[in-house]
Amino acid sequence: MTARLDPFAAAPSMMREWHRASLAINSSLDGNLTELVKIRASQINGCGNCINLHTTFARDSGETEQRIYLLSAWRAAPCYSDRERAALGWTEALTRLSEGHALDDAYDALKAQFTEEEQVKLTLLINVINGWNRIAVGFRGWADPAAVMAAAKAAA
């Protein structure tokens, strides 16, 4: 698969700002939880690039293979906490907005597990990963996880 364009080369200033905001939002919640959310949204959106990146990052941060493999069936798997289930349900509800407005149950579960500030942070995280999915899928982007991690460390 050949990339359509490099968004960082085409709009460097805007992409630097997008990346900066993404890093800030990503670091606002627990790392393992954020990776699960990013993987699940990327599965729904069919973003192979982001699934590859975030499963790699999840493994590097200690996530188990079992929990990564079961993520698409999280409702039927007993290995996720109530907090993770609330985050995954909210992720699915926001990522699938066009499929209806079944937000009430997802929000009730979210509210029981997350403070209002955390709800905003999680919602921003979901927006960020959905944005990255659209950039990667739209422009056929593919990034090496090691290169992304090195760039993130350099930016920090």
Side-chain angles (χ1 to χ4, degrees), residues 53-71:
L53 287 174
H54 297 294
T55 56
T56 299
F57 298 159
R59 282 183 197 97
D60 289 349
S61 68
E63 191 56 75
T64 67
E65 293 296 315
Q66 177 190 34
R67 285 168 40 93
I68 292 170
Y69 296 149
L70 288 171
L71 198 49

Side-chain angles (χ1 to χ4, degrees), residues 84-101:
E84 290 166 336
R85 290 175 181 286
L88 294 168
W90 191 239
T91 300
E92 288 187 1
L94 294 183
T95 301
R96 294 180 163 147
L97 278 177
S98 66
E99 295 177 17
H101 298 282

Side-chain angles (χ1 to χ4, degrees), residues 14-94:
M14 284 302 228
M15 289 306 296
R16 273 194 307 274
E17 286 301 313
W18 172 250
H19 188 249
R20 184 193 57 74
S22 296
L23 291 174
I25 292 165
N26 287 340
S27 67
S28 70
L29 292 167
D30 171 64
N32 284 352
L33 178 68
T34 63
E35 293 305 329
L36 293 175
V37 165
K38 290 185 274 188
I39 295 165
R40 186 64 193 123
S42 300
Q43 289 172 333
I44 293 166
N45 290 322
C47 183
N49 175 68
C50 293
I51 294 168
N52 182 53
L53 287 174
H54 297 294
T55 56
T56 299
F57 298 159
R59 282 183 197 97
D60 289 349
S61 68
E63 191 56 75
T64 67
E65 293 296 315
Q66 177 190 34
R67 285 168 40 93
I68 292 170
Y69 296 149
L70 288 171
L71 198 49
S72 63
W74 64 269
R75 284 181 179 85
C79 56
Y80 301 101
S81 69
D82 289 342
R83 183 173 167 89
E84 290 166 336
R85 290 175 181 286
L88 294 168
W90 191 239
T91 300
E92 288 187 1
L94 294 183

